[in-house]
Amino acid sequence: MAKCKILMQTAQVQKLVTFFDGYKDDKVELKYVSKAGIKATFECETELSPEDAAAHCKSLFKKTPEGSISQSSLAVSLDKMHFKAQVNSCAFFV
């Protein structure tokens, strides 16, 4: 399994931390790393590409009661230069 970092951003950042810290399924395994303001960073072990892992996490959170009342449109944002420098880092914003 490859490792990547996923940056999640929402006004409900503590709900992201509570939901995803220690989360594991057949596609991803997440561990909370840090939180700053409305951003939380997680280390992710996955066989998916970083983009697909972020999309999977985004869809998981959107199915929760907290995620369903968040913004109706979600976007995955990848900065390719930052992505390469951080060795498989990626971000999704809620």
mmCIF file of all heavy atoms in Angstrom, residues 22-51:
data_model
loop_
_atom_site.group_PDB
_atom_site.id
_atom_site.type_symbol
_atom_site.label_atom_id
_atom_site.label_comp_id
_atom_site.label_asym_id
_atom_site.label_seq_id
_atom_site.Cartn_x
_atom_site.Cartn_y
_atom_site.Cartn_z
ATOM 1 N N GLY A 22 -8.430 7.001 12.442
ATOM 2 C CA GLY A 22 -8.502 5.557 12.634
ATOM 3 C C GLY A 22 -9.463 4.858 11.683
ATOM 4 O O GLY A 22 -9.645 3.642 11.774
ATOM 5 N N TYR A 23 -10.053 5.600 10.735
ATOM 6 C CA TYR A 23 -10.997 4.993 9.792
ATOM 7 C C TYR A 23 -10.263 3.997 8.883
ATOM 8 O O TYR A 23 -9.154 4.259 8.422
ATOM 9 C CB TYR A 23 -11.673 6.065 8.928
ATOM 10 C CG TYR A 23 -12.646 5.456 7.944
ATOM 11 C CD1 TYR A 23 -13.945 5.183 8.331
ATOM 12 C CD2 TYR A 23 -12.248 5.116 6.655
ATOM 13 C CE1 TYR A 23 -14.840 4.584 7.453
ATOM 14 C CE2 TYR A 23 -13.131 4.523 5.785
ATOM 15 C CZ TYR A 23 -14.418 4.257 6.172
ATOM 16 O OH TYR A 23 -15.291 3.660 5.304
ATOM 17 N N LYS A 24 -10.916 2.873 8.632
ATOM 18 C CA LYS A 24 -10.323 1.863 7.758
ATOM 19 C C LYS A 24 -11.433 1.131 7.026
ATOM 20 O O LYS A 24 -12.456 0.769 7.619
ATOM 21 C CB LYS A 24 -9.517 0.864 8.588
ATOM 22 C CG LYS A 24 -8.808 -0.203 7.775
ATOM 23 C CD LYS A 24 -7.994 -1.124 8.676
ATOM 24 C CE LYS A 24 -7.267 -2.169 7.846
ATOM 25 N NZ LYS A 24 -6.420 -3.030 8.675
ATOM 26 N N ASP A 25 -11.256 0.935 5.719
ATOM 27 C CA ASP A 25 -12.137 0.085 4.931
ATOM 28 C C ASP A 25 -11.276 -0.638 3.895
ATOM 29 O O ASP A 25 -10.049 -0.634 4.011
ATOM 30 C CB ASP A 25 -13.309 0.865 4.317
ATOM 31 C CG ASP A 25 -12.893 1.890 3.266
ATOM 32 O OD1 ASP A 25 -11.761 1.835 2.761
ATOM 33 O OD2 ASP A 25 -13.725 2.762 2.945
ATOM 34 N N ASP A 26 -11.894 -1.239 2.908
ATOM 35 C CA ASP A 26 -11.129 -2.006 1.918
ATOM 36 C C ASP A 26 -10.353 -1.124 0.943
ATOM 37 O O ASP A 26 -9.517 -1.626 0.189
ATOM 38 C CB ASP A 26 -12.049 -2.957 1.154
ATOM 39 C CG ASP A 26 -13.131 -2.240 0.377
ATOM 40 O OD1 ASP A 26 -13.547 -1.131 0.785
ATOM 41 O OD2 ASP A 26 -13.577 -2.789 -0.645
ATOM 42 N N LYS A 27 -10.569 0.200 0.974
ATOM 43 C CA LYS A 27 -9.887 1.095 0.037
ATOM 44 C C LYS A 27 -8.875 2.023 0.688
ATOM 45 O O LYS A 27 -7.870 2.370 0.075
ATOM 46 C CB LYS A 27 -10.914 1.936 -0.726
ATOM 47 C CG LYS A 27 -11.812 1.090 -1.605
ATOM 48 C CD LYS A 27 -12.793 1.946 -2.373
ATOM 49 C CE LYS A 27 -13.676 1.052 -3.230
ATOM 50 N NZ LYS A 27 -14.647 1.811 -3.995
ATOM 51 N N VAL A 28 -9.144 2.467 1.916
ATOM 52 C CA VAL A 28 -8.267 3.421 2.586
ATOM 53 C C VAL A 28 -8.124 3.097 4.070
ATOM 54 O O VAL A 28 -8.992 2.473 4.666
ATOM 55 C CB VAL A 28 -8.779 4.878 2.460
ATOM 56 C CG1 VAL A 28 -8.787 5.352 1.019
ATOM 57 C CG2 VAL A 28 -10.143 5.043 3.092
ATOM 58 N N GLU A 29 -7.010 3.553 4.621
ATOM 59 C CA GLU A 29 -6.790 3.507 6.071
ATOM 60 C C GLU A 29 -6.231 4.871 6.452
ATOM 61 O O GLU A 29 -5.205 5.293 5.915
ATOM 62 C CB GLU A 29 -5.805 2.405 6.425
ATOM 63 C CG GLU A 29 -5.596 2.243 7.904
ATOM 64 C CD GLU A 29 -4.721 1.038 8.255
ATOM 65 O OE1 GLU A 29 -4.566 0.135 7.419
ATOM 66 O OE2 GLU A 29 -4.202 1.025 9.385
ATOM 67 N N LEU A 30 -6.926 5.574 7.351
ATOM 68 C CA LEU A 30 -6.569 6.949 7.675
ATOM 69 C C LEU A 30 -6.106 7.114 9.118
ATOM 70 O O LEU A 30 -6.606 6.449 10.019
ATOM 71 C CB LEU A 30 -7.770 7.874 7.447
ATOM 72 C CG LEU A 30 -8.226 7.962 5.997
ATOM 73 C CD1 LEU A 30 -9.634 8.494 5.920
ATOM 74 C CD2 LEU A 30 -7.289 8.835 5.204
ATOM 75 N N LYS A 31 -5.162 8.037 9.297
ATOM 76 C CA LYS A 31 -4.667 8.374 10.629
ATOM 77 C C LYS A 31 -4.538 9.899 10.694
ATOM 78 O O LYS A 31 -3.915 10.521 9.837
ATOM 79 C CB LYS A 31 -3.309 7.724 10.870
ATOM 80 C CG LYS A 31 -2.730 8.028 12.233
ATOM 81 C CD LYS A 31 -1.375 7.379 12.407
ATOM 82 C CE LYS A 31 -0.769 7.777 13.739
ATOM 83 N NZ LYS A 31 0.606 7.322 13.861
ATOM 84 N N TYR A 32 -5.126 10.488 11.718
ATOM 85 C CA TYR A 32 -5.072 11.932 11.918
ATOM 86 C C TYR A 32 -3.641 12.376 12.174
ATOM 87 O O TYR A 32 -2.920 11.756 12.948
ATOM 88 C CB TYR A 32 -5.980 12.303 13.096
ATOM 89 C CG TYR A 32 -5.855 13.716 13.575
ATOM 90 C CD1 TYR A 32 -6.344 14.773 12.816
ATOM 91 C CD2 TYR A 32 -5.259 13.994 14.795
ATOM 92 C CE1 TYR A 32 -6.244 16.072 13.275
ATOM 93 C CE2 TYR A 32 -5.162 15.283 15.261
ATOM 94 C CZ TYR A 32 -5.651 16.320 14.495
ATOM 95 O OH TYR A 32 -5.544 17.611 14.963
ATOM 96 N N VAL A 33 -3.237 13.480 11.507
ATOM 97 C CA VAL A 33 -1.887 14.015 11.681
ATOM 98 C C VAL A 33 -1.923 15.361 12.409
ATOM 99 O O VAL A 33 -1.253 15.542 13.421
ATOM 100 C CB VAL A 33 -1.168 14.172 10.326
ATOM 101 C CG1 VAL A 33 0.187 14.842 10.491
ATOM 102 C CG2 VAL A 33 -1.017 12.831 9.636
ATOM 103 N N SER A 34 -2.706 16.312 11.886
ATOM 104 C CA SER A 34 -2.726 17.636 12.496
ATOM 105 C C SER A 34 -3.965 18.415 12.081
ATOM 106 O O SER A 34 -4.639 18.064 11.112
ATOM 107 C CB SER A 34 -1.478 18.438 12.101
ATOM 108 O OG SER A 34 -1.486 18.695 10.703
ATOM 109 N N LYS A 35 -4.218 19.491 12.835
ATOM 110 C CA LYS A 35 -5.342 20.372 12.544
ATOM 111 C C LYS A 35 -4.872 21.802 12.729
ATOM 112 O O LYS A 35 -4.162 22.112 13.681
ATOM 113 C CB LYS A 35 -6.504 20.060 13.483
ATOM 114 C CG LYS A 35 -7.726 20.934 13.299
ATOM 115 C CD LYS A 35 -8.877 20.489 14.183
ATOM 116 C CE LYS A 35 -8.616 20.836 15.618
ATOM 117 N NZ LYS A 35 -9.765 20.689 16.515
ATOM 118 N N ALA A 36 -5.266 22.671 11.796
ATOM 119 C CA ALA A 36 -4.961 24.098 11.899
ATOM 120 C C ALA A 36 -6.164 24.866 11.363
ATOM 121 O O ALA A 36 -6.470 24.783 10.175
ATOM 122 C CB ALA A 36 -3.707 24.447 11.107
ATOM 123 N N GLY A 37 -6.858 25.543 12.259
ATOM 124 C CA GLY A 37 -8.042 26.282 11.839
ATOM 125 C C GLY A 37 -9.115 25.332 11.326
ATOM 126 O O GLY A 37 -9.548 24.440 12.034
ATOM 127 N N ILE A 38 -9.510 25.527 10.066
ATOM 128 C CA ILE A 38 -10.548 24.677 9.476
ATOM 129 C C ILE A 38 -9.954 23.571 8.605
ATOM 130 O O ILE A 38 -10.669 22.942 7.833
ATOM 131 C CB ILE A 38 -11.564 25.514 8.665
ATOM 132 C CG1 ILE A 38 -10.887 26.212 7.484
ATOM 133 C CG2 ILE A 38 -12.287 26.498 9.564
ATOM 134 C CD1 ILE A 38 -11.854 26.848 6.518
ATOM 135 N N LYS A 39 -8.658 23.322 8.733
ATOM 136 C CA LYS A 39 -7.991 22.297 7.925
ATOM 137 C C LYS A 39 -7.481 21.157 8.808
ATOM 138 O O LYS A 39 -6.936 21.386 9.877
ATOM 139 C CB LYS A 39 -6.810 22.891 7.165
ATOM 140 C CG LYS A 39 -7.209 23.957 6.180
ATOM 141 C CD LYS A 39 -5.999 24.555 5.507
ATOM 142 C CE LYS A 39 -6.422 25.644 4.551
ATOM 143 N NZ LYS A 39 -5.271 26.275 3.903
ATOM 144 N N ALA A 40 -7.667 19.944 8.328
ATOM 145 C CA ALA A 40 -7.148 18.762 9.024
ATOM 146 C C ALA A 40 -6.353 17.926 8.030
ATOM 147 O O ALA A 40 -6.770 17.759 6.887
ATOM 148 C CB ALA A 40 -8.290 17.942 9.608
ATOM 149 N N THR A 41 -5.232 17.419 8.469
ATOM 150 C CA THR A 41 -4.381 16.590 7.622
ATOM 151 C C THR A 41 -4.386 15.164 8.155
ATOM 152 O O THR A 41 -4.269 14.938 9.359
ATOM 153 C CB THR A 41 -2.937 17.120 7.597
ATOM 154 O OG1 THR A 41 -2.954 18.478 7.154
ATOM 155 C CG2 THR A 41 -2.059 16.300 6.668
ATOM 156 N N PHE A 42 -4.532 14.214 7.227
ATOM 157 C CA PHE A 42 -4.551 12.797 7.554
ATOM 158 C C PHE A 42 -3.521 12.068 6.705
ATOM 159 O O PHE A 42 -3.314 12.403 5.545
ATOM 160 C CB PHE A 42 -5.933 12.193 7.261
ATOM 161 C CG PHE A 42 -7.020 12.733 8.127
ATOM 162 C CD1 PHE A 42 -7.664 13.904 7.789
ATOM 163 C CD2 PHE A 42 -7.400 12.074 9.280
ATOM 164 C CE1 PHE A 42 -8.671 14.423 8.592
ATOM 165 C CE2 PHE A 42 -8.404 12.582 10.088
ATOM 166 C CZ PHE A 42 -9.042 13.759 9.742
ATOM 167 N N GLU A 43 -2.886 11.059 7.292
ATOM 168 C CA GLU A 43 -2.032 10.160 6.530
ATOM 169 C C GLU A 43 -2.929 9.033 6.047
ATOM 170 O O GLU A 43 -3.746 8.504 6.800
ATOM 171 C CB GLU A 43 -0.929 9.606 7.416
ATOM 172 C CG GLU A 43 0.062 8.755 6.659
ATOM 173 C CD GLU A 43 1.187 8.299 7.567
ATOM 174 O OE1 GLU A 43 1.017 7.229 8.199
ATOM 175 O OE2 GLU A 43 2.197 9.009 7.645
ATOM 176 N N CYS A 44 -2.796 8.704 4.782
ATOM 177 C CA CYS A 44 -3.663 7.701 4.168
ATOM 178 C C CYS A 44 -2.825 6.591 3.553
ATOM 179 O O CYS A 44 -1.882 6.852 2.827
ATOM 180 C CB CYS A 44 -4.510 8.376 3.084
ATOM 181 S SG CYS A 44 -5.570 7.248 2.163
ATOM 182 N N GLU A 45 -3.159 5.351 3.879
ATOM 183 C CA GLU A 45 -2.559 4.198 3.217
ATOM 184 C C GLU A 45 -3.607 3.636 2.284
ATOM 185 O O GLU A 45 -4.748 3.388 2.697
ATOM 186 C CB GLU A 45 -2.134 3.141 4.230
ATOM 187 C CG GLU A 45 -0.899 3.531 5.004
ATOM 188 C CD GLU A 45 -0.325 2.360 5.793
ATOM 189 O OE1 GLU A 45 -0.336 1.224 5.282
ATOM 190 O OE2 GLU A 45 0.112 2.606 6.924
ATOM 191 N N THR A 46 -3.233 3.461 1.018
ATOM 192 C CA THR A 46 -4.200 3.030 0.024
ATOM 193 C C THR A 46 -3.512 2.430 -1.190
ATOM 194 O O THR A 46 -2.344 2.695 -1.444
ATOM 195 C CB THR A 46 -5.084 4.225 -0.417
ATOM 196 O OG1 THR A 46 -6.070 3.778 -1.332
ATOM 197 C CG2 THR A 46 -4.257 5.327 -1.053
ATOM 198 N N GLU A 47 -4.251 1.630 -1.925
ATOM 199 C CA GLU A 47 -3.784 1.142 -3.214
ATOM 200 C C GLU A 47 -4.359 1.989 -4.335
ATOM 201 O O GLU A 47 -4.017 1.799 -5.499
ATOM 202 C CB GLU A 47 -4.153 -0.330 -3.380
ATOM 203 C CG GLU A 47 -3.385 -1.218 -2.412
ATOM 204 C CD GLU A 47 -3.654 -2.700 -2.585
ATOM 205 O OE1 GLU A 47 -4.270 -3.095 -3.576
ATOM 206 O OE2 GLU A 47 -3.236 -3.458 -1.696
ATOM 207 N N LEU A 48 -5.242 2.945 -3.983
ATOM 208 C CA LEU A 48 -5.814 3.864 -4.959
ATOM 209 C C LEU A 48 -4.814 4.978 -5.260
ATOM 210 O O LEU A 48 -3.877 5.202 -4.493
ATOM 211 C CB LEU A 48 -7.092 4.500 -4.401
ATOM 212 C CG LEU A 48 -8.239 3.572 -4.014
ATOM 213 C CD1 LEU A 48 -9.340 4.378 -3.319
ATOM 214 C CD2 LEU A 48 -8.786 2.860 -5.236
ATOM 215 N N SER A 49 -5.060 5.712 -6.340
ATOM 216 C CA SER A 49 -4.269 6.912 -6.591
ATOM 217 C C SER A 49 -4.661 7.934 -5.523
ATOM 218 O O SER A 49 -5.748 7.840 -4.932
ATOM 219 C CB SER A 49 -4.579 7.473 -7.984
ATOM 220 O OG SER A 49 -5.895 8.001 -8.014
ATOM 221 N N PRO A 50 -3.810 8.910 -5.239
ATOM 222 C CA PRO A 50 -4.181 9.928 -4.250
ATOM 223 C C PRO A 50 -5.495 10.631 -4.595
ATOM 224 O O PRO A 50 -6.301 10.904 -3.716
ATOM 225 C CB PRO A 50 -3.004 10.900 -4.283
ATOM 226 C CG PRO A 50 -1.854 10.044 -4.699
ATOM 227 C CD PRO A 50 -2.440 9.067 -5.704
ATOM 228 N N GLU A 51 -5.714 10.901 -5.878
ATOM 229 C CA GLU A 51 -6.956 11.546 -6.302
ATOM 230 C C GLU A 51 -8.166 10.680 -5.986
ATOM 231 O O GLU A 51 -9.179 11.155 -5.483
ATOM 232 C CB GLU A 51 -6.928 11.861 -7.802
ATOM 233 C CG GLU A 51 -5.864 12.864 -8.209
ATOM 234 C CD GLU A 51 -4.553 12.212 -8.612
ATOM 235 O OE1 GLU A 51 -4.317 11.024 -8.252
ATOM 236 O OE2 GLU A 51 -3.756 12.871 -9.283
#
